Amino acid sequence: MTQQAEPDAMAEAAPVDAGAGTASEETPRAQKRVMHPDGFGAAFCASMAALCAEAAVAGTIGFLVLLSREHDGLPHGLLVIAGVVFAVALLGVLVSGFVTAVTVVPALALARTVTRRPGRRGGPLWNAAAVPFVSAAAVAVFGAVSALGTLAPAAPLKYLLWWVFLTVALLPATLIAGTAARRVREGRPVRTARRVARDGVIAWLAVGAVGAAVYGTGMVKVYQPPRLDSAQLAGLWSDGHDGTVRLAADGTAVADGLDNYAWDGTGKDRPKDCDGSGTWKPVKGDGKVQGLSLRIGSCELRRNWTVSGTDKEPRLYHEVGKPGSGKRYVLTKVVKHKK
């Protein structure tokens, strides 16, 4: 005997089937929402975008300040400039990812761990409060590694300055990363990294425009080394440590205790006192004097010196050690003031 279902029962079953169909349609969305429930990916990208924006703005400000200070010169040529910009941008992306992994993510994890206790609700304040602790740990680790490498720890004040600088730099990135993660957990569309990148580009362009206006109007001038002629090069030059050389107008020179950095056979340049007489002549380039060539025969001193400093305080220098070491031996002109 066949049993027939009652119409009421079929009517009640229909909504259940419809609900099941709806649930099956919402399953892919739910799966997408559950793929990253902690918002790790969004937080990582947002932090990288924030750190890159900070680096771009800070680097532009530093470059604008450097233009007015004494420097060795800027890259020339379109290809060279493009290569430098690309290398700096690539390095910035890599460094931002590394900093995010070792500082920003641990700061978010620390804040989330603390707020898991009953009665505590996570938020931006907890994320910000975790940054100083993570910065202190990072400074301690890298400071210890640096001290082991050089066998000499830095001064305590330097560690404190590193901690302050790192904390200030990480605060915006950590807060932005926390916001991106919270938006993922709440199921809202995530565009934090895109917005941060857009606002960073706007801020970078604004800083560049202000800098161009400041230099273009002449409020601040680009540094230029002093233009000295042969008469201005003549005189007494001192290294500030009892080493001097007197340049006469006729091209003769007399050295007294001047440091002559000679190869000692161990891979280092060690200074030796140079005393004696010799000759000098100006070195020109692009139609102007860029330095001088000094020869002292008694101590085999043969050096080309570059002009630097300012018109009021001209200096001569040459590099010490390997090329690009940044170490210099500097002479300052001794000016006798009239009483």
Side-chain angles (χ1 to χ4, degrees), residues 19 90 98 124 136 151 168 196-197 213:
L90 180 60
F98 175 76
L151 300 179
V168 173
V196 171

Side-chain angles (χ1 to χ4, degrees), residues 237-246 254-263 269-276 294-296 298-305 316-321 327-332:
W237 297 80
S238 172
D239 63 2
H241 303 284
D242 299 329
T244 61
V245 59
R246 184 177 295 276
V254 178
D256 182 12
L258 197 67
D259 288 344
N260 181 20
Y261 287 86
W263 186 266
D269 282 335
R270 300 196 179 277
K272 296 181 180 179
D273 287 345
C274 178
D275 302 312
L294 179 63
R295 302 289 186 267
I296 305 295
S298 59
C299 50
E300 298 182 355
L301 187 150
R302 297 182 179 181
R303 294 284 185 178
N304 287 342
W305 303 72
L316 298 172
Y317 76 88
H318 69 75
E319 288 190 355
V320 177
K327 297 180 180 180
R328 293 178 174 181
Y329 181 44
V330 182
L331 301 178
T332 304

Side-chain angles (χ1 to χ4, degrees), residues 87-106:
V88 171
L90 180 60
L91 180 62
V93 172
L94 296 176
V95 172
S96 66
F98 175 76
V99 173
T100 297
V102 300
T103 55
V104 176
V105 172

